[in-house]
């Protein structure tokens, strides 16, 4: 413990540099969940996958762990070019003492802002800019993250719910058809969901539903 404290109290340039790196690493780890959820495609992916499970009415199948795991790996796949650019332009030079911490932060901001700006509606961005009484920026780099992130999140929520609505339609039709057939046969006490579930699963398997859902998510970015 004393060695850890001495690391930050040392006047040696090497020790100070190491302490800054350690502090930076701890800071990144502490805010990593927020960055992953709110500044990447994770929000859209996990909501759409949740809509799929809800529309199928399979309760906890697939389990939450599977959906979250799939959403994470899809996020890393989609955000791969952005993460690579951040590592190349900001993280690696910082670790090699070629740039300062402020320069690394600025260089890391640019790729993530570019990604978010492509998927943020102008209406959502204008909402927060008008509330903050900001002037119209000349470039994406001039928009602060405190404004870009919430605008990006509500844009992602709208897009995810739009995709979820389209996913619900065919399964809703099956539920309505099954309910109508049961009523015509006088089986009003039999839950329509119990009868329609096998048909919904069969339809989803026949059209290769997971492939189509993942393909739609990838193409949406």
């Amino acid at each position: 413990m004393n060695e850890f404290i001495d690391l930050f109290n040392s006047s040696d340039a090497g020790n100070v540099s190491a302490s800054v790196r350690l502090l930076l690493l701890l800071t990144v780890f502490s805010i990593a969940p927020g960055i992953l959820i709110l500044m990447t495609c994770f929000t859209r992916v996990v909501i759409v996958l949740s809509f799929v499970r809800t529309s199928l009415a399979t309760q906890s199948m697939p389990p939450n762990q599977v959906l979250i795991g799939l959403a994470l790996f899809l996020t890393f796949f989609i955000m791969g070019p952005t993460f690579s650019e951040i590592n190349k332009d900001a993280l690696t030079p910082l670790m090699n003492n070629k740039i300062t911490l402020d320069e690394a932060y600025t260089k890391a901001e640019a790729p993530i802002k570019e990604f978010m700006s492509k998927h943020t509606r102008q209406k959502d961005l204008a909402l927060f800019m008008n509330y903050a009484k900001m002037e119209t920026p000349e470039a994406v780099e001039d928009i602060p993250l405190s404004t870009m992130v919430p605008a990006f999140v509500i844009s992602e929520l709208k897009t995810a719910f739009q995709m979820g609505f389209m996913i619900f339609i065919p399964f809703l039709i099956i539920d309505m058809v099954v309910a109508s057939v049961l009523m015509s046969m006088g089986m009003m006490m039999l839950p329509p969901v119990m009868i329609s579930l096998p048909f919904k699963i069969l339809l989803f398997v026949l059209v290769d539903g997971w492939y189509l859902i993942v393909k739609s998510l990838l193409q949406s970015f």
Side-chain angles (χ1 to χ4, degrees):
M1 183 65 181
N2 292 331
E3 294 178 357
F4 181 80
I5 296 175
D6 292 339
L7 180 64
F8 288 89
N9 293 331
S10 175
S11 58
D12 182 70
N15 287 340
V16 172
S17 177
S19 65
V20 170
R21 293 182 185 180
L22 180 59
L23 182 60
L24 176 63
L25 185 62
L26 293 175
T27 302
V28 170
F29 282 155
S30 64
I31 64 175
I35 294 176
L36 178 64
I37 294 173
L38 300 180
M39 298 175 65
T40 67
C41 60
F42 180 83
T43 299
R44 183 190 304 187
V45 173
V46 75
I47 290 177
V48 170
L49 294 179
S50 298
F51 266 117
V52 173
R53 185 175 66 181
T54 303
S55 62
L56 285 171
T58 53
Q59 302 300 327
S60 60
M61 289 295 159
N64 286 331
Q65 294 87 339
V66 174
L67 291 184
I68 297 297
L70 178 59
L72 282 173
F73 278 96
L74 286 176
T75 299
F76 292 142
F77 179 79
I78 295 171
M79 298 295 297
T82 302
F83 290 156
S84 297
E85 188 174 352
I86 292 174
N87 180 65
K88 177 182 176 182
D89 297 338
L91 187 58
T92 300
L94 176 64
M95 293 302 176
N96 294 332
N97 295 322
K98 294 182 178 180
I99 60 175
T100 64
L101 186 59
D102 291 337
E103 290 174 337
Y105 177 76
T106 302
K107 290 181 179 294
E109 265 191 340
I112 199 71
K113 280 185 177 180
E114 182 180 356
F115 171 82
M116 290 191 294
S117 64
K118 291 180 180 178
H119 304 286
T120 303
R121 297 182 303 165
Q122 295 296 324
K123 178 181 178 182
D124 296 331
L125 185 59
L127 169 66
F128 293 96
M129 294 183 63
N130 292 335
Y131 183 83
K133 298 180 181 179
M134 296 174 53
E135 297 181 357
T136 303
E138 297 181 358
V140 175
E141 292 76 11
D142 299 330
I143 305 175
L145 285 177
S146 59
T147 301
M148 177 69 77
V149 172
F152 170 73
V153 171
I154 63 176
S155 294
E156 287 292 279
L157 287 174
K158 179 179 180 179
T159 303
F161 273 70
Q162 288 174 337
M163 297 179 70
F165 173 77
M166 299 303 297
I167 292 171
F168 255 103
I169 291 178
F171 300 110
L172 179 61
I173 293 175
I174 293 177
D175 284 334
M176 294 175 63
V177 170
V178 170
S180 299
V181 172
L182 291 178
M183 289 184 65
S184 65
M185 296 176 63
M187 300 180 180
M188 298 182 182
M189 300 301 295
L190 186 63
V193 176
M194 182 181 301
I195 305 300
S196 64
L197 178 59
F199 293 100
K200 289 192 288 187
I201 295 177
L202 178 63
L203 172 65
F204 195 72
V205 172
L206 288 177
V207 300
D208 200 358
W210 290 114
Y211 170 83
L212 294 177
I213 295 298
V214 173
K215 180 181 178 181
S216 299
L217 284 169
L218 293 177
Q219 291 179 344
S220 68
F221 290 101

